[in-house]
Amino acid sequence: MSPPPFLRLTLLAVACALPLVGHAEPSPSIEREAELETLLYQDCGSCHGMTLRGGLGPALPASRMNAYSREGLAALILHGVKGTAMPGWADLLTEQEALWIADHLQNDNPLDE
């Protein structure tokens, strides 16, 4: 018995996408990581507070950031939140850089609630 057509198409799409996995953007350099951390605490801090404890925008503790997947948080960083003051940063950040910021907020976040 062969798999249903939709399953065959899904498996084919996954198999075709596998070679692309190795072509992801490189991780940010050490210098760029320092710039991203400055961006986080300066630019993001202009709304979320310089210590990320809140301001115009909400506080960004790890507990809140871990409610999102790393990829979901990066998408929020890149595309913003429609109808709020949260802008998208896609013009200034690559996807890999947004993932680095998301990882930093989830794992190296000094802010505890």
Side-chain angles (χ1 to χ4, degrees):
M1 181 170 172
S2 68
F6 74 90
L7 182 56
R8 283 189 300 225
L9 288 174
T10 301
L11 292 173
L12 179 62
V14 169
C16 290
L18 284 177
L20 299 176
V21 172
H23 298 289
E25 301 172 26
S27 296
S29 67
I30 297 296
E31 295 82 12
R32 184 60 177 154
E33 286 180 5
E35 292 170 353
L36 292 172
E37 192 166 2
T38 298
L39 176 114
L40 176 61
Y41 290 98
Q42 298 280 324
D43 294 278
C44 301
S46 67
C47 285
H48 294 283
M50 300 302 274
T51 59
L52 305 181
R53 295 185 190 285
L56 172 65
L60 303 178
S63 59
R64 181 175 184 168
M65 299 298 95
N66 284 311
Y68 300 95
S69 69
R70 180 175 175 242
E71 292 74 17
L73 188 53
L76 191 145
I77 292 165
L78 289 172
H79 306 294
V81 180
K82 188 176 180 174
T84 73
M86 175 64 187
W89 292 85
D91 290 343
L92 299 172
L93 299 172
T94 66
E95 183 176 350
Q96 194 62 34
E97 291 168 340
L99 286 166
W100 185 92
I101 292 171
D103 186 63
H104 182 78
L105 287 169
Q106 291 177 327
N107 299 302
D108 298 321
N109 190 334
L111 180 59
D112 291 329
E113 268 192 313

